[in-house]
C-alpha cells in the first residue's frame, strides 16, 4: 500500500485550469479569455521591445551566476520601490522602507502574509474585497490567517458599491488587516475614483487598519504609471504605513520570470532594517534567494533612461489596446442588437472585465462557442483582438438575449 | 559555490552556449510555465536522478515538481508531508536531520509546521568518519513513520557519505521501521564526476520499493545558482497515487510562488534532452568534480609530506564541496586571524576555495595551526 492512498485528487485550479481546458479544445474559433496574460492584436504573447533590448544587453555582459542576496537584486528592489512610491516620496527619500524581491505577485503576497502571521499579533483577520482574486484566499489561509470580506462590487450595476464598502470598512475591528487592489481590480476591473480613495483612506485611518496593497497592474490600467499608483502614494502621504506587493508580470510581460517585490513602509530606517532582517529569515527556508533573470531585466529597464522611456510607451500601448477592445466590444454588442446595458465594459479598467454573465451563460460560452473564461464571468480583455471581438460579441449576445 | 583554479566563479561553457541559443530563438517568450513547471525539465530531472532505465519511471510512478532550487524543492516537499503524511496535518510526525546538517534543513521543516525536529547521529569526530552504529540506533529508536532527511551524496557539511554497503543497512532498517526517506540531492555529478555513482543511494532505495521524495538542486552541477533551478522528484507506489500527490503539490505551489521561473529550467531541459549538449554538460561537470578531487589529493599529500600530526586520509575519503577537517575552534581561529584563511568554526572548509596557487600556503598554515595549538 501507499503512503498516499488517502490523498484526494485536488480540483483543477479555477484560473489556470481554464487555459488547460482551452488547450485541449480543437475548435479553430476558440478564445482564451481566462488567465490574465496580455496578447497583441494577433492574439499572440507580446515580448516588449525594451525587454528584448535589456536581454541583449545582459547577454553581452557575460555576468556570472552567483547567488543573489536573500533580499534580492538591490538595484531592482530600489527601483521597484521608487516606481511604486514615486521619486519625490518622502518615505522613499528618507529610506524608511524595506523592499525585498519576491517571486512575482504571488510570492510577494505570500512573504507579506507569512510576515503578518509571525509578527502582526494584533489580528489574524484579513479583509478582502468581495470579490477578489481567487488566489488571495488560499495564500492568506496557508499562511495561517483568517479571511473576512467587505462589500466592493455591486452586481446590479456592475460597478463599485461604494457606500457598502464604506459601511463595511467602518465596522472592521481596529487593527485588522485590509487588502486593497491598488488599480485595475481583479476580477472586476472596478476601481474607486480618486475622491472615493480619499474617503476610503480616511475610514481606514480612523479604524486604525493595517493596509496591504496589491499592485499587479501599475501602468497597465490607465497607461500612466503615476496615475495607477495614486492610491498607494496618497495613503502613504496620509501617514498610513502600508505594506505592498508588486508584480512585473503584466506591465513588463515578464510572467514566467517571476519578477516582483514586497515593501513595508516603516516608521524609520532602524525599523526598516529590523523588518528586513525578519523578512530574510522568512525567505531563506522558502527558497533561499530569488531568481535573477526577471529582476535583472526589470532593473535594467527601470534604471536605464532610454529603456525606461521605451517601456512607458509600450505599457501605454498595451493599456490603450485594451481600452480600445472594450470600446469595440460594446459597439459590436450594440450591432448584434443587444438590448442590455454594457456600459460597465468601458467603465471598468485594466486587464479584466466582469461581464455580469451568470455561470450558466459562461458554461454555454465555453461549450457552444469555445470561449473560455472563469465561472464568475470574468474575461481577460487582453485576449480580445480586432479579429475576434465580433465573434465574442455575437456569442455573448446569443447567451444573453 | 564552485571556483576555478583562478578563484573565479565559473559559468559552464554548455550553459553559455544554451543561453545564446535561447536568446537567439525568437519563438520563445516569457509566458507563465504550468504550476508544476516546464514538463521537459521535470521529466529530464527525474530521469537524471533515477537513471534512464529506472523501473519506477517505466512504471509511470514518478512525478516532478519544478522548484526554486533545492531549498524550494525541500520546502514544497515538507509542506506536502505536513499536510498529507502520516494522517492529515500531523505536525507531530518527527523529522530527523543528521548531526551536523545544512542548517537550513531545520528552518525549512519548522516553517513547514513540523513541531518535532530531532537529530540522528552522523559525524564521528573522534574517528573523523561516519558514526554508522549511532545512525542505525537512532533509526531503530525512531517512532514508526518518522521522516529522515538523507543527503544523497556529498554530505553537507562533513563530506562523509555512507558506502553502498552502509546504505544497504540503512535502507533495511528504514524499511523495517516504516521510516520515510526524503533525499536532499544537491551535488549529483559534482561529487564524484559520475551521475550514476552520485545517485546510487536514491536508486537503491527506489529498487527496494520505497516511496520517497528527492529534492534536487541544479545550482552546483549546472552552476545555475541564481536562476533557482530545482526539482522535487516524487516516487510512489503507482501512477494513480503519484497523480493525486501532484495535484495536491499544485495547491501548495500555487500559494507559494504560483508557477516557477522559466529561464534556468529551459537551460537545463535543453541541455539534458540533447545527446550532444548532455555530453558537453557531463564534461563540464567532470571538470568541476576533478578539480575538487585534485585539490583534495594535493592538500592531503602536502599535509602528509609536512608530517602534520594526525591522520589526513579523511581529506580524500570525503567527497564534494566541503571537508570537515577535524580542526578545533581554536585552530580555526588561528587560521582566520593569523593566516587570513577563512573557514567555519566547525572546521569545515570549502574545497573550491583551494587553488594550485594557494595549496602550499594553506597546507603550511594548517600544519602551523595543528602544531602550535591544541
Amino acid at each position: 500500500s501507499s503512503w498516499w492512498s488517502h490523498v484526494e485528487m485536488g480540483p483543477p485550479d479555477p484560473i489556470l485550469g481554464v487555459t488547460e481546458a482551452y488547450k485541449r479544445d480543437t475548435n479553430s474559433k476558440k478564445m482564451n479569455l481566462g488567465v490574465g496574460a496580455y496578447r497583441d492584436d494577433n492574439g499572440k504573447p507580446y515580448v516588449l521591445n525594451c525587454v528584448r533590448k535589456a536581454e541583449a544587453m545582459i547577454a553581452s555582459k557575460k555576468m556570472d551566476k552567483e547567488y543573489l542576496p536573500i533580499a534580492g537584486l538591490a538595484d531592482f528592489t530600489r527601483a521597484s520601490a521608487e516606481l511604486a512610491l514615486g521619486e519625490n516620496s518622502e518615505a522613499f527619500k528618507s529610506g524608511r522602507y524595506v523592499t525585498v524581491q519576491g517571486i512575482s505577485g504571488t510570492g510577494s503576497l505570500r512573504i507579506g502574509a507569512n510576515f503578518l502571521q509571525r509578527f502582526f499579533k494584533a489580528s489574524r483577520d484579513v479583509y478582502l474585497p468581495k470579490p477578489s482574486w481567487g488566489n488571495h484566499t488560499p495564500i492568506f489561509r496557508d499562511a495561517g490567517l483568517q479571511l473576512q470580506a467587505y462589500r466592493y462590487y455591486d452586481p446590479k450595476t456592475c460597478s463599485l458599491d461604494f457606500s457598502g464598502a464604506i459601511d463595511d470598512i467602518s465596522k472592521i475591528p481596529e487593527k485588522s488587516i485590509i487588502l486593497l487592489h491598488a488599480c485595475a481590480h481583479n476580477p472586476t476591473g472596478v476601481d474607486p475614483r480618486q475622491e472615493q480613495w480619499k474617503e476610503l483612506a480616511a475610514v481606514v485611518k480612523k479604524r486604525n487598519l493595517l493596509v496591504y496593497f496589491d499592485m499587479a497592474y501599475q501602468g497597465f490600467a490607465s497607461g500612466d504609471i503615476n496615475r495607477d499608483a495614486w492610491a498607494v502614494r496618497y495613503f502613504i502621504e496620509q501617514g498610513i504605513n502600508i505594506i505592498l506587493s508588486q508584480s512585473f508580470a503584466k506591465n513588463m510581460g515578464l510572467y514566467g520570470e517571476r519578477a516582483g517585490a514586497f515593501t513595508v513602509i516603516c516608521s524609520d530606517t532602524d525599523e526598516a532594517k529590523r523588518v528586513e532582517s525578519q523578512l530574510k529569515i522568512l525567505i531563506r527556508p522558502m527558497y533561499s534567494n530569488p531568481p535573477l533573470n526577471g529582476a535583472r531585466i526589470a532593473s535594467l529597464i527601470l534604471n536605464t533612461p532610454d529603456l525606461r522611456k521605451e517601456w512607458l510607451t509600450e505599457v501605454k500601448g498595451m493599456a490603450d489596446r485594451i481600452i480600445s477592445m472594450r470600446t469595440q466590444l460594446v459597439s459590436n454588442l450594440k450591432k448584434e442588437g443587444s438590448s442590455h446595458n454594457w456600459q460597465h465594459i468601458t467603465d471598468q479598467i485594466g486587464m479584466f472585465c466582469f461581464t455580469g454573465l451568470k455561470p450558466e451563460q459562461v458554461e454555454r460560452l465555453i461549450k457552444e462557442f469555445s470561449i473560455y473564461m472563469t465561472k464568475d464571468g470574468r474575461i481577460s480583455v487582453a485576449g480580445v483582438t480586432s479579429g475576434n471581438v465580433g465573434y465574442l460579441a455575437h456569442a455573448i449576445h446569443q447567451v444573453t438575449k | 559555490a564552485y571556483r576555478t583554479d583562478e578563484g573565479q566563479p565559473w559559468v559552464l561553457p554548455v550553459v553559455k552556449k544554451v543561453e545564446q541559443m535561447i536568446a537567439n530563438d525568437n519563438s520563445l517568450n516569457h509566458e507563465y510555465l504550468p504550476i508544476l513547471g516546464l514538463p521537459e525539465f521535470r521529466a529530464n530531472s527525474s530521469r537524471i536522478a533515477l537513471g534512464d532505465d529506472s523501473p519506477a519511471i517505466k512504471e509511470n510512478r514518478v512525478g516532478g515538481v519544478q522548484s526554486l532550487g533545492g531549498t524550494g524543492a525541500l520546502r514544497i516537499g515538507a509542506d506536502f508531508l505536513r499536510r498529507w503524511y502520516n494522517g492529515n496535518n500531523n505536525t507531530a510526525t518527527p523529522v530527523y536531520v543528521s548531526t551536523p546538517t545544512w542548517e537550513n534543513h531545520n528552518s525549512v521543516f519548522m516553517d513547514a509546521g513540523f513541531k518535532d525536529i530531532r537529530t540522528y547521529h552522523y559525524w564521528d569526530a573522534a574517528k573523523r568518519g561516519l558514526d554508522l552504529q549511532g545512525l542505525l540506533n537512532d533509526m531503530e529508536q525512531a517512532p514508526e513513520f518518522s521522516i529522515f532527511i538523507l543527503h544523497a551524496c556529498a554530505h553537507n557539511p562533513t563530506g562523509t557519505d555512507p558506502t553502498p554497503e552502509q546504505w544497504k543497512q540503512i535502507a533495511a532498517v528504514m524499511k523495517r521501521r516504516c521510516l520515510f526517506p526524503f533525499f536532499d540531492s544537491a551535488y549529483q555529478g559534482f561529487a564524484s564526476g559520475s551521475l550514476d555513482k552520485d545517485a546510487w543511494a536514491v536508486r537503491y532505495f527506489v529498487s527496494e520499493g520505497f516511496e520517497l521524495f528527492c529534492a534536487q538542486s541544479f545550482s552546483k552541477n549546472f552552476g545555475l545558482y541564481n536562476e533557482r533551478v530545482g526539482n522535487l522528484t516524487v516516487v510512489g507506489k503507482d501512477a494513480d497515487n503519484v497523480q493525486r500527490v501532484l495535484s495536491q503539490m499544485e495547491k501548495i505551489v500555487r500559494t507559494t510562488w504560483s508557477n516557477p521561473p522559466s529561464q534556468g529550467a529551459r537551460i537545463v531541459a535543453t541541455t539534458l534532452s540533447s545527446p550532444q549538449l548532455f555530453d558537453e554538460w557531463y564534461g563540464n561537470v567532470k571538470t568541476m568534480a576533478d578539480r575538487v578531487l585534485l585539490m583534495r589529493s594535493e592538500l592531503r599529500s602536502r599535509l602528509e609530506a609536512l608530517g602534520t600530526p594526525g591522520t589526513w586520509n579523511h581529506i580524500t575519503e570525503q567527497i564534494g564541496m566541503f571537508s570537515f577537517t577535524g580542526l578545533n575552534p581554536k585552530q580555526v581561529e588561528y587560521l582566520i586571524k593569523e593566516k587570513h584563511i577563512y573557514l567555519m568554526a566547525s572546521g569545515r572548509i570549502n574545497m573550491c576555495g583551494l587553488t594550485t596557487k594557494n595549496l602550499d600556503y594553506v597546507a603550511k598554515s594548517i600544519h602551523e595551526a595543528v602544531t602550535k595549538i591544541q
Side-chain angles (χ1 to χ4, degrees), chain A residues 1-13 15-16 35-37 39 45 47 51-52 55 63-68 103 106-107 110 118 133 135 138-139 142 249-250 253-258 281-282 284-293 297, chain B residues 1 3 9 11 15 19 26 28-32 35 68 71-72 75 80-81 83-85 87-88 102-104 107-108 111 145 178 180 211 213 219-220 223-228 237 241 243-245 247-248 251 254-263:
Chain A
S1 71
S2 167
W3 285 121
W4 317 124
S5 314
H6 67 298
V7 174
E8 299 143 19
M9 191 69 183
D13 182 279
I15 298 167
L16 298 176
V35 77
R39 295 286 176 264
V47 178
V51 168
R52 287 210 193 279
E55 288 179 303
M63 295 158 160
D64 64 45
K65 301 218 166 279
E66 295 297 282
Y67 287 125
L68 279 178
I103 313 301
T106 300
R110 184 56 183 274
R118 192 172 279 187
W133 180 45
N135 207 21
I139 287 171
D142 282 2
K250 285 84 171 172
L254 290 174
Y255 307 92
E257 304 298 337
R258 320 310 292 129
I281 290 171
L282 271 168
R284 173 95 165 122
M286 286 175 75
Y287 50 83
S288 278
N289 42 73
L292 173 65
N293 198 44
I297 294 169
Chain B
R3 294 284 175 269
V11 178
V15 168
E19 278 189 317
N26 282 324
L28 293 176
N29 53 44
H30 293 290
E31 292 297 288
Y32 289 125
I35 298 172
L68 271 75
T71 306
R75 180 57 178 269
F80 180 89
L81 290 174
R83 283 184 197 201
W84 295 102
Y85 176 72
N88 275 33
W102 182 48
E103 77 287 353
N104 208 17
S107 315
V108 168
D111 280 13
F145 317 136
C178 297
F180 185 86
E211 292 186 299
F213 285 177
S219 291
K220 286 83 171 171
L224 286 173
Y225 307 93
N226 62 25
E227 301 292 3
R228 315 311 296 125
K237 266 287 167 343
N241 274 293
Q243 283 279 73
R244 284 180 281 104
V245 166
S247 76
Q248 293 298 345
K251 303 281 150 265
R254 185 64 166 134
T255 61
T256 311
W257 54 62
S258 265
N259 43 77
S262 159
Q263 180 74 351

Side-chain angles (χ1 to χ4, degrees), chain A residues 77-340:
Chain A
T77 52
R78 186 180 49 246
S80 298
E82 191 205 45
L83 180 69
L85 307 182
E87 58 181 350
N88 293 320
S89 149
E90 166 272 326
F92 178 73
K93 288 199 287 201
S94 70
R96 62 177 185 92
Y97 70 93
V98 53
T99 300
V100 296
Q101 186 180 334
I103 313 301
S104 206
T106 300
S108 304
L109 280 163
R110 184 56 183 274
I111 289 170
N114 284 356
F115 180 73
L116 291 173
Q117 192 279 336
R118 192 172 279 187
F119 292 99
F120 190 66
K121 293 308 178 189
S123 175
R124 300 285 76 176
D125 287 325
V126 178
Y127 284 76
L128 300 179
K130 231 187 303 192
S132 194
W133 180 45
N135 207 21
H136 277 145
T137 294
I139 287 171
F140 286 105
R141 186 175 293 147
D142 282 2
L145 298 169
Q146 276 149 211
L147 281 312
Q148 309 291 346
Y150 56 91
R151 274 174 288 170
Y152 190 81
Y153 178 72
D154 185 347
K156 287 196 225 64
T157 59
C158 295
S159 65
L160 181 63
D161 178 2
F162 185 61
S163 57
I166 292 288
D167 196 29
D168 282 354
I169 295 173
S170 313
K171 298 189 173 105
I172 293 179
E174 289 201 24
K175 295 196 182 153
S176 303
I177 302 154
I178 182 170
L179 183 126
L180 297 163
H181 297 225
C183 63
H185 181 271
N186 179 357
T188 69
V190 169
D191 285 349
R193 293 188 306 274
Q194 284 183 6
E195 288 316 302
Q196 294 172 321
W197 274 123
K198 286 181 178 175
E199 275 196 63
L200 286 164
V203 176
V204 147
K205 216 172 157 183
K206 191 149 176 236
R207 300 302 301 151
N208 195 14
L209 304 178
L210 191 156
V211 176
Y212 197 163
F213 266 110
D214 181 355
M215 184 154 67
Y217 299 99
Q218 188 183 4
F220 206 93
S222 69
D224 179 336
I225 48 152
N226 293 311
R227 193 156 158 205
D228 289 346
W230 189 86
V232 169
R233 297 175 187 183
Y234 179 77
F235 272 57
I236 296 171
E237 278 159 29
Q238 295 307 302
I240 303 168
N241 285 353
I242 66 158
I243 65 178
L244 166 73
S245 161
Q246 285 171 276
S247 167
F248 290 91
K250 285 84 171 172
N251 61 10
M252 284 194 182
L254 290 174
Y255 307 92
E257 304 298 337
R258 320 310 292 129
F262 173 69
T263 294
V264 180
I265 305 296
C266 300
S267 314
D268 51 51
T269 55
D270 179 73
E271 181 175 280
K273 280 199 180 69
R274 287 182 281 113
V275 169
E276 183 183 27
S277 71
Q278 294 299 343
L279 290 172
K280 283 156 70 169
I281 290 171
L282 271 168
I283 291 171
R284 173 95 165 122
M286 286 175 75
Y287 50 83
S288 278
N289 42 73
L292 173 65
N293 198 44
R296 192 151 59 182
I297 294 169
S299 175
L300 211 47
I301 290 171
L302 292 173
N303 291 310
T304 310
D306 283 350
L307 288 182
R308 190 183 178 112
K309 211 164 149 215
E310 188 165 6
W311 173 57
L312 292 174
T313 306
E314 288 191 276
V315 86
K316 186 172 188 315
M318 290 192 284
D320 284 349
R321 193 185 89 69
I322 288 178
I323 291 167
S324 136
M325 287 302 102
R326 289 178 180 276
T327 309
Q328 286 194 42
L329 180 56
V330 173
S331 65
N332 271 277
L333 282 163
K334 285 205 178 86
K335 261 194 273 171
E336 286 284 325
S338 177
S339 54
H340 294 288

Side-chain angles (χ1 to χ4, degrees), chain B residues 190-308:
Chain B
F190 192 96
S192 70
S194 158
L195 291 171
D196 295 330
K197 196 158 169 215
D198 291 345
W200 189 89
V202 179
R203 296 176 189 184
Y204 178 74
F205 272 65
V206 172
S207 72
E208 285 295 295
F210 282 89
E211 292 186 299
L212 56 82
F213 285 177
C214 179
Q216 300 169 262
S217 168
F218 292 92
S219 291
K220 286 83 171 171
N221 60 13
F222 261 87
L224 286 173
Y225 307 93
N226 62 25
E227 301 292 3
R228 315 311 296 125
V229 199
N231 187 55
L232 177 70
T233 285
V234 174
V235 181
K237 266 287 167 343
D238 54 48
D240 184 66
N241 274 293
V242 171
Q243 283 279 73
R244 284 180 281 104
V245 166
L246 291 180
S247 76
Q248 293 298 345
M249 291 279 182
E250 274 194 350
K251 303 281 150 265
I252 294 169
V253 168
R254 185 64 166 134
T255 61
T256 311
W257 54 62
S258 265
N259 43 77
S262 159
Q263 180 74 351
R266 256 189 202 152
I267 294 170
V268 173
T270 304
T271 306
L272 296 181
S273 52
S274 147
Q276 188 201 325
L277 293 172
F278 177 88
D279 285 346
E280 275 188 58
W281 171 60
Y282 215 131
N284 291 170
V285 171
K286 211 166 172 310
T287 297
M288 293 191 285
D290 284 350
R291 194 181 97 67
V292 172
L293 288 168
L294 179 66
M295 291 300 103
R296 285 183 178 279
S297 78
E298 293 286 294
L299 178 62
R300 173 184 169 180
S301 61
R302 276 168 179 69
L303 290 170
E304 287 172 348
L306 287 168
T308 309

